[in-house]
């Protein structure tokens, strides 16, 4: 199918007249940074300290969710107890510590070129992440300050309900200028994030930067799936010209 066909399917599904993007809302881990391998290691090492067995597959399956929500779910599943946000935050602090012991993760290939095109097209760039770690936010501003400011970053602490709920991306629309769903794109790499973008009724582009098959992202509801970030960058203007 052509890009126009995918866009028409999206418009028909939601009853919107047109897709008129004014902003692009990026996820962070696995989208802006090739950071998921390090996150998987940090999750496994930190949770082991609390007698929680977390695998690499668990890390990828819960990618995009608020860290405290992931921890509360894992504790309930493995230890049969409910913990409050405060206890989950203490455990998440250990995960954060473990993550920052690892080498700094690189910017995802294709992202600088894609952001340059988006800026040249006059669109606002936002980031919607399940993380709330201040060092990561500082790095976003250092690496992408030419395209992004803090007012357009949504973190775990901006919403009560994280991905896959629509709240983070609805907040992203609000921070981008109180936009409507048909006035933005979401760029994601994880099923939970895709589900969040779709739940917010935003045209959601999945880029498969991890180990999951494309079908998992399609089943989560992605409107389009690209195999790599450089591919999306190369096809960006073809997509815009289909509007």
């Amino acid at each position: 199918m052509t890009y126009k066909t995918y866009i028409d399917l999206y418009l028909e599904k939601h009853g919107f007249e047109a897709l008129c993007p004014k902003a692009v809302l990026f996820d962070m881990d696995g989208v802006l940074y090739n950071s998921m391998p390090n996150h998987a290691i940090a999750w496994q090492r930190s949770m082991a300290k609390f007698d929680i067995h977390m695998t690499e597959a668990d890390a990828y399956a819960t990618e995009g969710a608020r860290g405290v929500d992931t921890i509360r779910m894992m504790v309930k599943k493995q230890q049969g107890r409910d913990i409050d946000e405060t206890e989950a935050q203490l455990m998440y602090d250990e995960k954060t510590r473990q993550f920052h012991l690892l080498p700094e993760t690189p910017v995802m290939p294709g992202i600088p070129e894609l952001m340059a095109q988006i800026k040249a097209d006059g669109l606002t760039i936002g980031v919607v992440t399940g993380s709330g770690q201040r060092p990561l936010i500082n790095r976003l501003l250092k690496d992408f300050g030419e395209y992004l400011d803090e007012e357009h970053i949504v973190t775990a602490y901006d919403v009560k309900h994280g991905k896959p709920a629509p709240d983070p991306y609805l907040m992203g629309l609000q921070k981008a200028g109180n936009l409507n769903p048909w006035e933005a794109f979401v760029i994601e790499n994880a099923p939970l994030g895709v589900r969040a973008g779709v739940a917010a009724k935003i045209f959601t582009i999945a880029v498969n930067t991890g180990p999951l098959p494309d079908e998992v992202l399609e089943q989560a509801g992605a409107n389009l799936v690209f195999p790599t970030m450089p591919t999306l960058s190369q096809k960006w203007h073809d997509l815009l010209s289909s509007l």
Side-chain angles (χ1 to χ4, degrees):
M1 291 194 292
T2 64
Y3 294 144
K4 186 178 186 306
T5 302
Y6 288 109
I7 292 167
D8 287 344
L9 288 171
Y10 160 81
L11 295 174
E12 181 181 352
K13 176 182 178 181
H14 296 294
F16 298 151
E17 290 186 6
L19 180 57
C20 307
K22 297 179 181 178
V24 179
L25 305 177
F26 287 90
D27 177 40
M28 182 174 70
D29 291 305
V31 173
L32 300 182
Y33 298 106
N34 188 19
S35 51
M36 278 310 298
N38 279 13
H39 277 293
I41 293 169
W43 272 119
Q44 292 173 83
R45 291 178 178 175
S46 59
M47 291 303 99
K49 293 178 179 292
F50 301 99
D51 295 321
I52 296 294
H53 177 66
M54 191 163 184
T55 66
E56 180 183 38
D58 290 330
Y60 279 97
T62 57
E63 180 186 352
R66 295 197 315 158
V68 291
D69 292 339
T70 296
I71 289 167
R72 294 176 79 175
M73 180 270 292
M74 295 295 289
V75 170
K76 179 67 172 178
K77 181 179 178 180
Q78 294 190 23
Q79 299 181 353
R81 61 190 185 95
D82 295 304
I83 62 172
D84 61 20
E85 188 113 353
T86 300
E87 184 176 353
Q89 182 63 54
L90 288 172
M91 296 169 70
Y92 185 61
D93 289 345
E94 174 60 20
K95 186 265 175 178
T96 299
R97 189 184 75 83
Q98 291 288 342
F99 180 80
H100 289 292
L101 291 175
L102 297 167
E104 186 172 78
T105 55
V107 171
M108 189 68 74
I111 280 293
E113 295 82 359
L114 179 57
M115 281 199 174
Q117 292 180 78
I118 293 169
K119 181 182 179 182
D121 293 331
L123 306 183
T124 297
I125 291 174
V127 173
V128 178
T129 175
S131 173
Q133 302 174 29
R134 187 67 222 181
L136 294 181
I137 307 307
N138 291 340
R139 189 179 175 203
L140 278 174
L141 297 173
K142 175 176 70 74
D143 291 341
F144 304 112
E146 181 180 354
Y147 311 109
L148 177 72
D149 60 55
E150 190 160 358
E151 296 303 310
H152 293 102
I153 299 174
V154 177
T155 76
Y157 301 117
D158 287 312
V159 294
K160 183 176 180 180
H161 303 290
K163 303 172 187 178
D167 305 38
Y169 281 111
L170 294 175
M171 179 62 72
L173 291 175
Q174 183 177 324
K175 288 195 173 193
N178 293 314
L179 301 183
N180 295 298
W182 62 85
E183 294 179 309
F185 287 117
V186 162
I187 299 180
E188 268 284 355
N189 74 307
L192 292 184
V194 169
R195 286 169 56 193
V198 170
K201 300 183 179 180
I202 306 171
F203 191 93
T204 300
I205 299 167
V207 183
N208 196 351
T209 63
L212 300 175
D214 287 353
E215 290 76 14
V216 175
L217 299 170
E218 292 165 358
Q219 290 166 7
N223 299 105
L224 270 176
V225 179
F226 286 89
T228 68
M229 202 60 70
T231 304
L232 173 57
S233 179
Q234 292 160 14
K235 299 293 186 181
W236 178 252
H237 282 131
D238 292 340
L239 176 59
L240 287 193
S241 66
S242 301
L243 297 175

